[in-house]
Amino acid sequence: VSPYVLITPNETRRNQLQQSKLSFAKKELDDLERWKEEHRARPIQLIPQRLGGKESEAQARQNQQMMLMQSKYQQKHTREEYIKAKKAAEEAEILKKKAIQREKAERLEVKKRQQQLQRREMFLEDQYYKTNELLNRLDLGLPKSDSCQIANRGPESTAWTRSHSYKQAHREDENRRLEEMKREQRRKAELMDFKQKEEEEARTRAHQNEQRRVNNAFLDRLQNKRQPNNIYQSGSSG
């Protein structure tokens, strides 16, 4: 343990420091009060004088009342325009969603028709191949005809001729039906494209007409609002 020395406090020195601090704080408070007193706001004294102006008090109050009414009308008009614009935007959004749903339904219908046509074509092709296979088996079961048999036109040659004619007619009929189905499918696709273009043009024209109607209505209301102001101004000047 290191040794240490205990020094007794000097009471006189402590009292002198405390007295000096108190006197310094009192001096700062006095200076602050003196500064506040010197910089205190003085009362304003104005010399009465007559002010200029071309309008009387009644006319000024009337103009003030008119400006207040116009301000209320402007606020009401702005609120109505906002509500109408919001409603028009909502209706346009609804129409847009309906158009999208209608286009999806039309595309789905076209896809269903194409699938039906494809299934029908596959069915006809399968039927055509099965018929040809059956006729080929019938042809293989018949003996080969030579020139004498063809000249004599026996019953076997007649059966082969009928089979060949039926197969040829059936093939031509199937080809004709396939061509007709393809033409019908192309015609329906072209008709659907034409219908979609017409609906798109109709929607575009309707949207443009609606925008034109809203703009004209806004301009009419703006013009009607300006006309009373002109009337008020002319009345006040008169």
Side-chain angles (χ1 to χ4, degrees), residues 208-221:
Q208 291 177 355
N209 293 331
E210 181 64 20
Q211 286 184 344
R212 192 178 297 108
R213 185 185 65 79
V214 173
N215 293 333
N216 292 333
F218 175 74
L219 294 175
D220 293 339
R221 286 193 295 271

Side-chain angles (χ1 to χ4, degrees), residues 19-79:
Q19 289 294 331
S20 64
K21 289 180 180 179
L22 290 174
S23 62
F24 183 75
K26 187 175 182 303
K27 181 178 180 301
E28 287 185 346
L29 291 174
D30 293 339
D31 293 341
L32 178 62
E33 292 295 334
R34 190 182 304 107
W35 183 88
K36 288 182 179 180
E37 183 66 23
E38 291 177 355
H39 293 82
R40 186 177 59 182
R42 304 298 179 182
I44 299 174
Q45 296 179 359
L46 297 176
I47 301 173
Q49 58 182 353
R50 185 178 181 83
L51 300 177
K54 296 181 180 180
E55 296 181 353
S56 61
E57 182 180 357
Q59 185 68 25
R61 291 186 181 278
Q62 184 179 0
N63 293 337
Q64 185 179 7
Q65 185 69 19
M66 189 180 299
M67 290 177 63
L68 180 62
M69 292 174 62
Q70 291 178 358
S71 177
K72 290 182 178 179
Y73 175 77
Q74 181 66 26
Q75 292 177 359
K76 182 179 178 182
H77 177 69
T78 304
R79 186 166 56 254

